[in-house]
């Protein structure tokens, strides 16, 4: 059995912070960081995803131990979610939909390198893919040598296409599509398709 994930909580409202810590304290797979302990994941609880919040996410991710960030917000639409992901948030939750188990799931997913986003919010994110990168987000994948074929496959993955559908649309074999996805996930140390889409969104690729 793996060690519990260490988690810290940041909230401007002390009552919200106490409530969030209490919700997490009920999960045996999560342990609240105390004192000088470095958290694996930081939960940030806010009302709106404004510039100060995005700056907070950046600073948290830039810390020496680079904790993952799960952002819980009262108001969270596709545009705000895209900016949050682009600045480093690994998990996104709306406060009204958040309870102890759901929050713990998002924390564990973030700690494992995956991205937790509500399905309807992910749909909204993908609708914005043609609008270009979020302001200030570099095309990190392009700089790392992502090929046009890899980009094409990932765009269709983001659209929710199955491997066989991607192969048909791009006139590739199923094996080729599988190989492309495998190569991308291995090169960038990603966990799965959802993780690849999340990273592509963060890089402004989609």
């Amino acid at each position: 059995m793996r060690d519990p994930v260490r988690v810290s909580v940041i909230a401007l409202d002390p009552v919200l912070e106490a409530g969030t810590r209490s919700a997490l304290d009920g999960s045996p797979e999560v342990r609240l960081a105390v004192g000088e302990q470095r958290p694996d994941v930081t939960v940030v609880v806010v009302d709106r995803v404004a510039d100060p919040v995005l700056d907070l996410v950046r600073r948290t991710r830039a810390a020496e131990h680079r904790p993952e960030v799960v952002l819980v917000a009262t108001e969270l639409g596709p545009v705000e979610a895209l900016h949050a992901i682009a600045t480093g948030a690994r998990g996104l939750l709306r406060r009204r939909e958040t309870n102890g188990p759901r929050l713990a799931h998002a924390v564990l997913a973030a700690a494992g390198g995956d991205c937790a986003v509500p399905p309807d919010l992910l749909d909204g994110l993908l609708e914005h893919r043609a609008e270009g990168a979020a302001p200030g987000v570099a095309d990190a994948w392009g700089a790392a040598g992502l090929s046009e074929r890899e980009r094409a496959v990932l765009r269709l993955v983001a659209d929710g296409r199955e491997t066989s559908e991607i192969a048909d649309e791009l006139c590739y074999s199923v094996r080729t599509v599988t190989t492309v996805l495998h190569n991308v996930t291995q090169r960038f140390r990603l966990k799965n398709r959802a993780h690849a889409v999340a990273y592509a969104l963060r890089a402004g690729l989609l």
Side-chain angles (χ1 to χ4, degrees):
M1 183 176 178
R2 70 178 183 180
D3 293 334
V5 172
R6 291 190 305 274
V7 59
S8 64
V9 178
I10 298 175
L12 298 180
D13 184 336
V15 175
L16 278 179
E17 180 173 341
T20 304
R21 292 175 66 88
S22 177
L24 287 167
D25 205 26
S27 172
E29 297 176 283
V30 171
R31 179 179 299 163
L32 292 168
V34 295
E36 298 300 316
Q37 288 184 334
R38 294 180 172 183
D40 303 304
V41 179
T42 295
V43 176
V44 177
V45 187
V46 299
D47 286 326
R48 296 176 57 252
V49 184
D51 286 343
V53 171
L54 298 176
D55 289 340
L56 174 60
V57 172
R58 291 189 189 97
R59 290 197 305 271
T60 302
R61 287 289 295 133
E64 183 180 354
H65 55 292
R66 296 189 62 78
E68 301 294 351
V69 173
V70 172
L71 182 64
V72 182
T74 303
E75 299 177 23
L76 188 61
V79 174
E80 293 83 5
L82 180 58
H83 284 289
I85 291 173
T87 52
R90 178 77 74 179
L92 301 173
L93 291 170
R94 298 185 183 93
R95 274 181 55 194
R96 67 177 181 273
E97 300 169 349
T98 301
N99 54 30
R102 186 167 291 179
L103 182 56
H105 172 78
V107 166
L108 294 171
D114 212 341
C115 186
V117 180
D120 67 299
L121 195 54
L122 181 58
D123 289 342
L125 283 169
L126 298 178
E127 288 175 4
H128 285 77
R129 69 189 186 280
E131 299 299 322
V137 181
D139 189 356
W141 283 38
L146 201 65
S147 71
E148 284 303 315
R149 180 168 69 173
E150 290 168 337
R151 288 170 183 265
V153 169
L154 282 173
R155 288 189 185 103
L156 292 176
V157 170
D159 281 333
R161 307 290 186 87
E162 297 294 334
T163 303
S164 59
E165 295 174 319
I166 296 172
D168 288 343
E169 179 148 343
L170 297 178
C171 298
Y172 296 152
S173 68
V174 169
R175 182 175 180 179
T176 295
V177 174
T178 301
T179 300
V180 167
L181 290 171
H182 175 77
N183 289 343
V184 170
T185 55
Q186 289 296 306
R187 190 189 320 156
F188 295 97
R189 298 182 180 180
L190 306 174
K191 300 291 183 180
N192 49 40
R193 289 179 171 214
H195 197 186
V197 170
Y199 263 68
L201 286 167
R202 286 175 64 178
L205 175 61
L206 301 179

